[in-house]
Amino acid sequence: PATGADPEHEALMADSVGLALLVVLQSLTPAERLAFVLHDTFGVPFEDIAPIVGRSPAAARQLASRARRRVRGTEQAPERDPARQREIVNAFHAAARDGDFEALVAVLDPDVVLRADVGAVPGGWQEIRGAADVAGQALMFRQAGGNPVPALVNGTAGVVNFVDGHPRSVLSFTVAGGRIIAIDILADPARLAALDLTFPA
């Protein structure tokens, strides 16, 4: 819940992979993902990775390098104050709910990126860049309805959207400089079903 997690949950979350990183990893090709995770996380030499991905060691190194650049490109220094994060996210949702395009653009960084892992949708991946395009997408999504519930997502301000009492999507926001610089959405039904999310009473 947005009010905070219990200490056990916080300890578990401290060791978890952030939603943004999970979404970005989904955007990599299988070969890039394998090369990056095996080498950077587990220290497997490229000579051992090469036969797994069906490439030469040099090509496996390039796969990991490309993946690393994409993942590092998502690293942003977020706003640390939870109250400030929530204020910006609430302003975003209020503008979307009211259909106020100008207010949406004002709360979004000009270079904001929206990344969505939508699973069941053909392609399963969506990335949109720029305040105007992300604001337009937010206005389109508001037509789908649902009940957005404030939540902490990996320790930062987020939202779980419920439809008919079931989670439809989890949104994580990165806030910096008083604006939203990234929105990461998990909407893959199979992955959502595996999460322990309940509609608040």
Side-chain angles (χ1 to χ4, degrees), residues 12-32:
L12 291 171
M13 292 308 296
D15 292 330
S16 71
V17 179
L19 178 61
L21 179 57
L22 286 174
V23 172
V24 172
L25 285 175
Q26 287 294 110
S27 75
L28 303 175
T29 67
E32 287 173 338

Side-chain angles (χ1 to χ4, degrees), residues 102-187:
E102 295 302 322
L104 275 170
V105 170
V107 80
L108 296 170
D109 184 84
D111 298 318
V112 64
V113 58
L114 181 150
R115 295 175 291 256
D117 173 10
V118 290
V121 174
W125 170 257
Q126 196 172 34
E127 183 172 296
I128 299 169
R129 292 183 175 273
D133 288 341
V134 171
Q137 193 74 15
L139 292 178
M140 187 168 60
F141 278 140
R142 80 186 176 103
Q143 305 298 331
N147 182 22
V149 176
L152 285 176
V153 180
N154 292 338
T156 61
V159 171
V160 179
N161 192 44
F162 289 87
V163 176
D164 297 328
H166 299 285
R168 183 63 57 88
S169 59
V170 176
L171 289 79
S172 171
F173 295 83
T174 303
V175 176
R179 292 183 175 183
I180 295 168
I181 60 173
I183 304 172
D184 292 284
I185 304 174
L186 176 63

Side-chain angles (χ1 to χ4, degrees), residues 32-52:
E32 287 173 338
R33 195 161 49 242
L34 270 172
F36 171 68
V37 172
L38 288 176
H39 182 268
D40 286 36
T41 304
F42 298 106
V44 178
F46 288 114
E47 290 74 16
D48 295 339
I49 296 172
I52 297 172

